[in-house]
Amino acid sequence: MREPALWHDAGVSITAQQFQQLQERVSRRVPKPAVEHVVSARSDHSVILGIDPSLRGTGYGVIRNVGRTPELLTQGTVKCASSLTRVQCLARIAESLRDIIRSCKPTVCIVEGLFYAQNLQTALIMGEARGASLVAAAEAGLEVYEIAPRKVKQAVVGYGAAQKFAVAKMVQRMLRLSEPPAPDAADALALALTYAQESRSPVARVSRKL
């Protein structure tokens, strides 16, 4: 008994058995990958570096984001005396951050986003300090994100126009420190904490990858 045609068009027909054989040939020509690659929306980072750039006092803070309570690894301020030139300050900022990265081994860096400055000269100097910080992070191969200052205050304090003291007190509470960090270091830690919160709740995304 002749097998009925499964498909017929313009005088060309194919049976069910022939169709199955054709599928088997195609599957043999296109092998399946040995390992399926799943692309995630965001890489998991357990060690986070926050940087609050400034020419004379760049704040930094590194936390380990494991469990519900982040752990402080290091924090401080890269201070540059007024006797140093701008170029010398930028070199010190970059070299200090390189040392911190080598010591703590973060995999992601969060910097304060650009903000509006009425004084053009101040904006340029801040931009230079930010650039020196970004170079140190980029050299080490870190992923780099920025978060607007108002977003950081909103995430940490719950009020976008919060004062520095309020930010420092909340950072102290969140990291269970014996005393509040210095203002610049507190701002850097607040950046890292905001990113840590965001990584646990991707719905409330406030960072932007650079």
Side-chain angles (χ1 to χ4, degrees), residues 6 14-30:
L6 179 67
I14 183 171
T15 65
Q17 183 179 2
Q18 291 171 331
F19 181 72
Q20 184 177 359
Q21 291 173 347
L22 181 61
Q23 284 185 315
E24 290 174 355
R25 289 175 192 159
V26 173
S27 63
R28 284 196 297 269
R29 292 178 183 175
V30 186

Side-chain angles (χ1 to χ4, degrees), residues 1 40-41 51 79 82 85 89 93 107 118 134-135 149 154 168 198 200:
M1 181 176 179
S40 59
I51 302 176
K79 296 183 178 180
S82 57
T85 65
C89 288
I93 291 169
T107 55
Q118 293 182 345
L134 292 175
V135 166
Q154 181 68 40
E198 182 182 275
R200 291 191 294 269

Side-chain angles (χ1 to χ4, degrees), residues 170-181:
M170 283 304 299
V171 168
Q172 177 190 7
R173 179 181 300 179
M174 294 171 73
L175 292 174
R176 299 181 180 180
L177 306 178
S178 58
E179 59 184 15

Side-chain angles (χ1 to χ4, degrees), residues 4-181:
L6 179 67
W7 177 74
H8 178 84
D9 184 29
V12 179
S13 62
I14 183 171
T15 65
Q17 183 179 2
Q18 291 171 331
F19 181 72
Q20 184 177 359
Q21 291 173 347
L22 181 61
Q23 284 185 315
E24 290 174 355
R25 289 175 192 159
V26 173
S27 63
R28 284 196 297 269
R29 292 178 183 175
V30 186
K32 293 183 179 180
V35 179
E36 292 186 3
H37 177 64
V38 179
V39 179
S40 59
R42 175 187 294 275
S43 302
D44 292 329
H45 297 288
S46 58
V47 181
I48 305 169
L49 166 65
I51 302 176
D52 179 33
S54 176
L55 187 69
R56 300 295 173 181
T58 291
Y60 63 86
V62 184
I63 64 172
R64 179 177 284 114
N65 184 32
V66 178
R68 294 186 177 182
T69 304
E71 174 191 355
L72 174 67
L73 296 183
T74 188
Q75 56 95 7
T77 305
V78 181
K79 296 183 178 180
C80 295
S82 57
S83 58
L84 297 178
T85 65
R86 283 166 61 178
V87 173
Q88 290 173 325
C89 288
L90 297 175
R92 175 172 293 187
I93 291 169
E95 187 56 38
S96 298
L97 292 176
R98 289 190 188 104
D99 291 340
I100 293 163
I101 292 170
R102 281 193 291 265
S103 175
C104 297
K105 296 178 173 56
T107 55
V108 64
C109 173
I110 320 302
V111 297
E112 187 175 73
L114 297 173
F115 63 93
Y116 175 76
Q118 293 182 345
N119 189 301
L120 179 60
Q121 184 69 10
T122 299
L124 290 173
I125 293 174
M126 291 293 290
E128 291 172 351
R130 191 172 187 263
S133 303
L134 292 175
V135 166
E139 284 177 343
L142 275 61
E143 287 189 23
V144 181
Y145 292 82
E146 69 173 1
I147 305 178
R150 191 174 186 86
K151 295 291 186 180
V152 176
K153 294 176 181 178
Q154 181 68 40
V156 173
V157 183
Y159 176 51
Q163 299 297 314
K164 281 185 172 290
F165 178 75
V167 174
K169 290 296 291 183
M170 283 304 299
V171 168
Q172 177 190 7
R173 179 181 300 179
M174 294 171 73
L175 292 174
R176 299 181 180 180
L177 306 178
S178 58
E179 59 184 15

